[in-house]
Amino acid sequence: MSAEHTAREKRRELRSYLVGFVLAVILTAVAFLVVAAGLPTMTAYGVIAVTALVQVVVHFRFFLHITLKRSTRDDLQLILFTTLIIGLMAGGTIWILDNLHHRMM
């Protein structure tokens, strides 16, 4: 591997981090602006949820370098499965606590 090739790879990686950083800042600013603007609650929740999901994708793509390419697809599947398990655990806990709350009232 030549020094020029290595320098080119470093520039590409730095550009990827900078693009990811700028996108993450913009998405965070959008969420803050929605709250600061005082939009209706359900609209604000929807916009914040969408920006949060987009930000997760930005972090996967630009910071964790996980894409749909063949070599990183296993990592993506592992992350998605972990997300599923955490979602099931959190959802089940909320469901059980809500059920207990209704039984106590």
Side-chain angles (χ1 to χ4, degrees):
M1 204 182 283
S2 69
E4 182 181 328
H5 180 72
T6 304
R8 191 177 316 141
E9 286 292 321
K10 285 184 179 180
R11 279 194 307 260
R12 185 181 321 156
E13 189 172 349
L14 179 64
R15 186 180 315 136
S16 173
Y17 282 125
L18 288 175
V19 168
F21 176 73
V22 169
L23 287 175
V25 168
I26 289 171
L27 290 169
T28 302
V30 167
F32 276 107
L33 288 175
V34 165
V35 173
L39 291 179
T41 305
M42 293 309 293
T43 304
Y45 285 163
V47 171
I48 290 170
V50 168
T51 57
L53 289 176
V54 172
Q55 192 153 33
V56 167
V57 172
V58 166
H59 282 256
F60 279 160
R61 167 67 178 87
F62 293 103
F63 298 123
L64 299 176
H65 303 290
I66 295 174
T67 61
L68 295 178
K69 291 180 183 175
R70 193 72 156 153
S71 62
T72 59
R73 191 172 292 168
D74 292 338
D75 294 337
L76 181 62
Q77 288 175 349
L78 181 64
I79 290 171
L80 291 176
F81 181 72
T82 303
T83 303
L84 174 69
I85 295 299
I86 290 173
L88 286 174
M89 289 173 54
T93 302
I94 291 170
W95 179 62
I96 289 170
L97 290 177
D98 185 57
N99 192 3
L100 287 174
H101 177 72
H102 285 293
R103 288 177 186 248
M104 295 293 285
M105 295 292 165

